[in-house]
Amino acid sequence: MRITIDPIIKEIAGIFNSNNKEIYLVGGAVRDKLRGKKIHDWDMTTNALPDEVTAIIKKAGGKVIPTGIKHGTVTVLFKNISTEITTFRTESDYSDGRRPDKVNYAATIEEDLSRRDFTMNAIALRLPKGEIVDPFKGLKDIKAKIIRCVGDANERFNEDGLRPLRAARFAAQLNYKIEKNTLEAINGALAVSAKVSWERVREEIDKILASAVPSLGFRIMEKTGLLKLFLEELTLCRGIEQKGFHQYDVLDHNFLTCDYAAAKGFSKETRLAALFHDIGKPSVRELDPSGVWTFYRHEEVSSEMCRVILNRLRYSNAVIDKVCHLVNQHMFLYTENWTDAAVRRFIARVGEDHLNDIYSLRRADIYGFSGKEPDYRSIKQLVERVNKVLTKGRAFTIKDLAVSGKDLMEIGIPGGKMMGVILKELLETVIDDPEQNTKERLKQIAEKTYKR
């Protein structure tokens, strides 16, 4: 079996071959090529040493950056392609649970492939022709949609604690099953996985969230102990039953909500909010006098917990603020009885920039009640009401007021806490009655409020 290779990759390979060096395409590029998917990253391996790679590429007019020279890797810029080229190598001793303490150059491609994580990632294409080198039957596993460790799964996972999380991610990303021995080995490597940096954990979680059905990855994490290790707050939602429209416990509801957000292509922030939106329910759950579980203020508690989790995962402040805001605002129930003032207060509370995401989150939340596409007429009606109100003017934040703090200081109102209180009262006045949003009228109201 031969695979079509990009012409520029072939040209690079030809340069190495003319220097009597072997070169192969490896890693995810090969896996995706064999799956008939488009390749975005090109990784290659060769029996040429890093200094030889540098000399060969520079002589051919390319550029070389020593990005991972310690491990035998350089980044090659040749024509319009950027690729990493690594010398055949073997690895040993992983004291930090992530990176090898020792890297030794290997003599053959088979030795190099033996150090890789999963059989589907341990296939090489001999360049320039593209013949398959598959010592661990990775192609067979790709065809069967199976994730299987190269060699002993316990050894592979105890070498690199990120590999168990990658297995869960690949299962969601590719919709593959994890082979029995590989799956069972994950729990025994949790102590090693605990050494992985939170940044790398976040990257894998983002990739799970970006998959078609994120819950496939999160359920594997739950089954193997990875979820408790990295997102223990979610595991506490298991078994927390709900009443009313809810047909699932809180954890399954969160998973379904997240799956819907992914299926509809909602933003990453909305998917994160969907995953965590009810995470505070276990801590606020109480029985009312009629014997029904209640979850008062769960959205506020969920937002606070979400901030802790996202900070732990080293998300940016912008992502954290948006996700926590969406979680805090997800519990709205529109009815036709809402006045225009109520609609304006909704816009002011949610913020214009977040309206589409909060509609999306609410849709996903409703889907999570039963896992069935529900009637969204009330949300559609709210969208129509909001759009109608927005066409009449935008006085939903303090900066939209016809007066500023400077204007109020000119009539004798001092800056500081009192100024903030008065501006907030003016905003409430304008939200209730937009006709009041004139400089003269707001100065009058502010002056009366200050003298009270």
Side-chain angles (χ1 to χ4, degrees), residues 89-106:
R89 71 188 194 199
T90 58
E91 303 169 347
S92 59
D93 300 338
Y94 298 76
S95 59
D96 69 351
R98 274 291 291 126
R99 301 170 188 82
D101 298 329
K102 297 177 182 177
V103 173
N104 297 306
Y105 294 131

Side-chain angles (χ1 to χ4, degrees), residues 24 41 52 58 82 86 305 308:
Y24 299 81
D41 298 312
E52 293 174 316
K58 285 185 175 180
S82 172
T86 303
M305 293 175 66
V308 172

Side-chain angles (χ1 to χ4, degrees), residues 133-150:
V133 179
D134 184 17
F136 302 102
K137 300 181 180 179
L139 180 57
K140 180 181 178 182
D141 283 341
I142 288 174
K143 290 179 178 178
K145 297 186 176 182
I146 289 175
I147 298 168
R148 185 194 314 271
C149 277
V150 173

Side-chain angles (χ1 to χ4, degrees), residues 71-82:
H71 297 118
T73 300
V74 296
T75 298
V76 169
L77 306 176
F78 187 80
K79 295 191 174 179
N80 66 337
I81 279 185
S82 172

Side-chain angles (χ1 to χ4, degrees), residues 39 49 80 93 131 137 141-142 155 190 213 240 285 296 310 316 321 326 361 378 406 409 420 436:
I39 296 178
L49 297 174
N80 66 337
D93 300 338
E131 301 101 332
K137 300 181 180 179
D141 283 341
I142 288 174
E155 290 182 15
L190 293 179
V213 186
I240 303 298
R285 185 172 72 152
Y296 296 123
L310 297 183
S316 69
D321 289 344
L326 293 175
L361 178 59
S378 65
K406 183 179 179 182
M409 290 177 72
Q436 301 292 321

Side-chain angles (χ1 to χ4, degrees), residues 9-73:
I9 294 297
K10 275 190 172 183
E11 187 175 346
I12 293 173
I15 294 168
F16 275 79
N17 291 166
S18 67
N19 283 272
N20 297 314
K21 297 297 180 183
E22 299 175 28
I23 190 164
Y24 299 81
L25 192 65
V26 290
V30 176
R31 180 193 68 237
D32 292 341
K33 197 76 173 173
L34 293 172
R35 293 176 58 241
K37 304 298 180 180
K38 187 175 180 180
I39 296 178
H40 300 285
D41 298 312
W42 302 91
D43 292 330
M44 293 189 278
T45 187
T46 177
N47 61 347
L49 297 174
D51 288 345
E52 293 174 316
V53 173
T54 300
I56 290 170
I57 292 298
K58 285 185 175 180
K59 185 178 179 181
K63 294 182 179 179
V64 177
I65 304 170
T67 46
I69 198 70
K70 180 180 177 182
H71 297 118
T73 300

